[in-house]
Amino acid sequence: MRDAGIENAVDEMLETFLADLPARLAAIRDAAESESSERTTTAAHALKSAAMMVRANSLGHLLEVLETTGREGNVDQLKSRAEDAISEARRVCDQLQRHLAR
């Protein structure tokens, strides 16, 4: 991978994901706290796509659950599902930062 230049491209993609993560998580938290199903669905979908691109599959799954919760208008579960996704995103963030530090 190193010889083909792929390693650098992957690292750049991971760095972009990490740079965008705080704003995306804030959007999810704000939408869920305001009990806006539509905004939560949109924010979860946007981050889900990015998470799947960097192969953060467990995060992608939690975001898909959050997206479905929002789409179904289940405001009672928005906050807890958002917190589950945010906790997993923090774990992914730590893992990716360790990877990039190597």
Side-chain angles (χ1 to χ4, degrees):
M1 280 188 9
R2 192 177 308 250
D3 292 340
I6 295 171
E7 186 175 21
N8 289 340
V10 169
D11 286 351
E12 288 176 16
M13 184 174 60
L14 296 176
E15 288 168 358
T16 300
F17 176 81
L18 289 171
D20 292 345
L21 192 58
R24 291 180 185 255
L25 294 179
I28 288 172
R29 175 173 278 129
D30 291 347
E33 286 180 358
S34 69
E35 298 182 344
S36 171
S37 339
E38 185 177 326
R39 285 181 39 224
T40 302
T41 300
T42 301
H45 181 77
L47 183 53
K48 178 184 75 175
S49 299
M52 297 308 264
M53 187 174 291
V54 299
R55 306 291 289 169
N57 296 330
S58 56
L59 175 58
H61 172 72
L62 289 170
L63 290 163
E64 185 172 357
V65 169
L66 178 59
E67 183 181 3
T68 300
T69 301
R71 193 176 306 113
E72 292 172 350
N74 192 344
V75 294
D76 294 336
Q77 293 184 4
L78 281 181
K79 290 179 190 175
S80 67
R81 298 252 165 100
E83 286 304 318
D84 291 344
I86 290 167
S87 293
E88 178 63 12
R90 287 184 181 134
R91 190 190 68 74
V92 167
C93 180
D94 290 343
Q95 192 173 35
L96 292 177
Q97 287 174 332
R98 283 193 301 273
H99 167 77
L100 290 170
R102 289 192 255 153

